[in-house]
Amino acid sequence: MPVNLRPAQALYLWHKANLAMVLDEEPDLSQRQWAVLLSIYLEPPPHTVRGLARKLDVTKPVITRALDTMGGWGLVSRRRDPEDRRNVVIQRTVEGSLFLERAGDVIARMAEEVPR
């Protein structure tokens, strides 16, 4: 079902959801880290450093730094592609799935508070 928000309402929702997530005990992700994480979890695999770098129009080291940080929080993991050892495949984790489920819950809760 489509969600129709005016620009001010969309910004209000974004602000409220971001504020709620900053104030909780979850890791604080940068915009780039969110883009990487959501690409990994919302788009069909496989995901590679090279593919994510191309999608976000950044260099592979930029993606590697984001993955290093998110991997430290347990949100993603990496392994070498057994068929092509030059490729690194990014994998989803249970911790990452739960993190995004909680974030989705926050956004849904904040959406109920958007002024009409």
Side-chain angles (χ1 to χ4, degrees):
M1 88 181 135
V3 176
N4 295 313
L5 296 175
R6 292 185 310 276
Q9 291 173 308
L11 290 172
Y12 178 88
L13 175 57
W14 189 21
H15 169 71
K16 293 293 284 186
N18 274 293
L19 183 59
M21 287 187 270
V22 165
L23 295 175
D24 68 15
E25 299 296 319
E26 300 284 356
D28 288 338
L29 273 63
S30 70
Q31 287 296 113
R32 181 169 288 133
Q33 290 166 339
W34 273 110
V36 170
L37 191 65
L38 289 170
S39 293
I40 293 166
Y41 280 86
L42 298 180
E43 296 172 0
H47 299 285
T48 62
V49 172
R50 181 180 295 121
L52 289 168
R54 184 173 39 255
K55 177 181 180 56
L56 275 70
D57 194 26
V58 296
T59 63
K60 291 190 297 184
V62 168
I63 298 298
T64 299
R65 282 192 300 275
L67 293 173
D68 286 345
T69 300
M70 292 186 297
W73 289 322
L75 303 178
V76 297
S77 66
R78 288 179 277 192
R79 68 171 173 79
R80 286 273 173 206
D81 182 346
E83 295 180 19
D84 184 348
R85 306 275 309 149
R86 296 171 297 171
N87 284 332
V88 174
V89 177
I90 295 94
Q91 298 181 296
R92 300 167 180 165
T93 65
V94 172
E95 294 88 353
S97 294
L98 292 172
F99 173 82
L100 284 176
E101 184 176 334
R102 289 188 297 270
D105 289 342
V106 167
I107 294 166
R109 191 172 60 252
M110 295 301 120
E112 294 172 0
E113 299 177 15
V114 172
R116 301 289 171 210

